[in-house]
Amino acid sequence: MFARLRLQLTLWYLGILGAALIVVSSLVYVMVARSLDQSIDDALADVNQEAVELVRSLSASAAHERAGHAPKERESEPWFQDEDFTALTASQLLGGRGDVFVLVLDPQGRVIANPRDVPVEPLPLHEAVARASEKGSYREDVDAEGGSVRLLTVLVEDAGAGLASPEMGPAGFVVTGQSIEERESTLRGLVVLLLIAAAAGLGLAGIGGLWVGELAIRPVRQSFQRQREFVADASHELRTPIAVIRANAEALAPKVAEDDREALDDIVAEAEHMGRLVTDLLTLARSDQGALGVDRAPVDVYDVIASAGRAAAHLAEDRGLEFTASSAHAVVLGDPERLRELLLILVDNAVKYTEPGGKVTLSAGQVDGRVQVVIEDTGIGIPPEHLPRVFDRFYRVDKVRSRAFGGLGLGLSIAQAIA
């Protein structure tokens, strides 16, 4: 019992610690992921903003040139066909910074500048352009050659138009991108590190929990042991005076007047009741101490069933019940007296909770190389909600009926101890 309690305390401790580690690890993971995301987003936004300013400047310059200086045949030429644009796309800015690359798209979403020769086929540029046209900017993570990439697509307003409108479309789009493989690798490494740390922490905590649990239950174990010893000693010492009281009361019964004999009968009945209680308590105390006294020897189950059946037949007859006992010959290793006591406890329960006119059956037979003993009755049964507690000491399902029959709530506990 104490070993199970110690294990339960340790498991509760590990469960609480594990929940705390999950919360802390989740917070660490989220914070690191947000920090990495913020770093990537800031780099994309910075480069994108500078590229947008350049494209906007080129667009405005081209528009101004067409309006004031360009020949009539060049007034309809878009800004990105300007002679200076090709040279500008090779500049450091449009080439990106660090791991960030830049793509410039025309109003229809076609790539018109790709300074770093980034493979654009795997990139969902049409979807990015459509979303950016609606929202002004659009960010997403996509799978591309070489791993995952984060793209930031920003709509560039047409020169002199202020905001883009259906009447006047955008000047184009600027797409900045950066690989997020390093971010994913960092987070994977963080997960592995957190799992290793959590496993090591829980392992050390489990060892410490068992040690702390032992310290916590040691006083309880000592107290429980003293209680067991007290119950065993008290039960043993009480058996003799109770037996003396009962014997003296029975001896006085023929010598007293009829008016006093009823009181002596009550004394005898209560002494008998106390004697059973003390005997049961002593049996359970010895069982708790591992000193129940079971003598194992080959025994024929047929003989045990026959002996228990003869005693049970008298109990059933007094209650007006039909009782039958049957068994095949089968030898098992056990204590015949304890086995008989076990069967009588169960049959006595069946008799008490079966109404007159009912039936109780005791049978035994071999099943799959073992001996199975079955006790059946036509009584009231046990409600399902009481089943988990029927072996608890002093627990009685029907307290009124148990008290009427002298039940103490210890019979099934003793049966379990014997079993």
Side-chain angles (χ1 to χ4, degrees):
M1 180 181 70
F2 288 104
R4 184 171 65 251
L5 178 59
R6 179 188 179 191
L7 180 60
Q8 289 175 344
L9 288 174
T10 303
L11 292 177
W12 273 106
Y13 174 65
L14 290 178
I16 295 173
L17 180 60
L21 288 175
I22 290 174
V23 173
V24 173
S25 299
S26 299
L27 290 175
V28 170
Y29 181 89
V30 170
M31 292 176 63
V32 173
R34 286 185 176 180
S35 177
L36 295 174
D37 286 336
Q38 189 63 47
S39 177
I40 295 173
D41 292 341
D42 288 344
L44 292 177
D46 289 344
V47 176
N48 197 295
Q49 182 62 31
E50 295 180 13
V52 166
E53 293 295 335
L54 176 60
V55 170
R56 186 178 288 118
S57 174
L58 289 171
S59 176
S61 176
H64 176 72
E65 181 181 347
R66 288 195 304 270
H69 306 283
K72 291 291 184 181
E73 63 272 12
R74 295 186 59 192
E75 289 184 3
S76 60
E77 289 181 1
W79 62 270
F80 50 82
Q81 292 184 2
D82 188 273
E83 295 177 358
D84 296 330
F85 177 70
T86 304
L88 287 170
T89 56
S91 68
Q92 182 178 0
L93 176 62
L94 285 182
R97 289 201 305 250
D99 295 332
V100 180
F101 64 84
V102 178
L103 300 174
V104 180
L105 313 181
D106 67 9
Q108 285 72 43
R110 296 186 294 264
V111 178
I112 56 177
N114 184 4
R116 289 196 173 184
D117 294 327
V118 176
V120 297
E121 290 78 10
L123 304 179
L125 297 180
H126 291 293
E127 180 184 355
V129 166
R131 297 291 182 87
S133 299
E134 297 175 0
K135 303 178 181 180
S137 65
Y138 177 64
R139 190 195 73 176
E140 67 172 333
D141 295 340
V142 299
D143 293 328
E145 294 182 7
S148 299
V149 176
R150 179 166 297 173
L151 299 179
L152 175 61
T153 305
V154 175
L155 177 147
V156 183
E157 303 165 359
D158 201 347
L163 296 173
S165 64
E167 291 78 13
M168 184 171 289
F173 301 88
V174 172
V175 179
T176 49
Q178 182 177 2
S179 172
I180 58 174
E181 283 300 304
E182 185 175 351
R183 168 192 180 273
E184 300 297 330
S185 177
T186 300
L187 292 179
R188 286 193 294 268
L190 178 62
V191 169
V192 172
L193 180 62
L194 291 174
L195 288 176
I196 293 175
L202 288 175
L204 293 175
I207 297 173
L210 290 173
W211 179 69
V212 172
E214 174 62 25
L215 293 180
I217 65 176
R218 184 176 298 170
V220 180
R221 181 191 284 114
Q222 293 173 349
S223 176
F224 195 72
Q225 182 62 28
R226 287 194 294 267
Q227 180 185 6
R228 284 177 173 176
E229 293 172 355
F230 169 77
V231 171
D233 294 341
S235 300
H236 181 74
E237 296 298 327
L238 286 173
R239 295 177 70 183
T240 300
I242 291 175
V244 171
I245 292 173
R246 178 181 177 183
N248 289 338
E250 290 176 341
L252 284 174
K255 303 176 183 179
V256 299
E258 288 292 334
D259 295 339
D260 297 327
R261 186 169 297 175
E262 185 177 350
L264 283 176
D265 291 340
D266 291 340
I267 293 175
V268 172
E270 291 302 322
E272 183 179 356
H273 179 81
M274 286 295 296
R276 289 200 309 272
L277 174 60
V278 168
T279 301
D280 290 346
L281 288 174
L282 182 60
T283 300
L284 291 174
R286 287 174 175 172
S287 172
D288 291 339
Q289 294 175 339
L292 188 57
V294 176
D295 298 324
R296 299 181 184 277
V299 56
D300 192 338
V301 176
Y302 178 87
D303 296 334
V304 177
I305 294 295
S307 176
R310 288 191 294 270
H314 296 295
L315 297 175
E317 184 179 358
D318 293 340
R319 286 277 293 157
L321 304 175
E322 179 185 350
F323 176 80
T324 57
S326 61
S327 173
H329 288 279
V331 177
V332 299
L333 188 65
D335 186 325
E337 292 301 320
R338 291 297 184 186
L339 290 175
R340 181 177 183 277
E341 181 182 1
L342 168 62
L343 296 179
L344 286 177
I345 290 173
L346 298 177
V347 171
D348 181 59
N349 255 28
V351 169
K352 287 179 180 177
Y353 293 96
T354 301
E355 298 297 335
K359 184 178 180 180
V360 177
T361 302
L362 170 62
S363 61
Q366 294 192 26
V367 177
D368 297 331
R370 295 176 176 270
V371 174
Q372 183 181 69
V373 179
V374 179
I375 298 173
E376 296 177 293
D377 63 73
T378 58
I380 60 176
I382 302 175
E385 63 270 18
H386 293 285
L387 288 176
R389 298 195 59 190
V390 293
F391 293 107
D392 292 354
R393 298 174 187 183
F394 299 105
Y395 184 80
R396 292 176 291 190
V397 175
D398 188 342
K399 295 179 175 58
V400 175
R401 183 187 292 262
S402 297
R403 192 176 297 111
F405 286 105
L408 304 172
L410 294 175
L412 291 180
S413 299
I414 295 174
Q416 185 185 42
I418 294 173

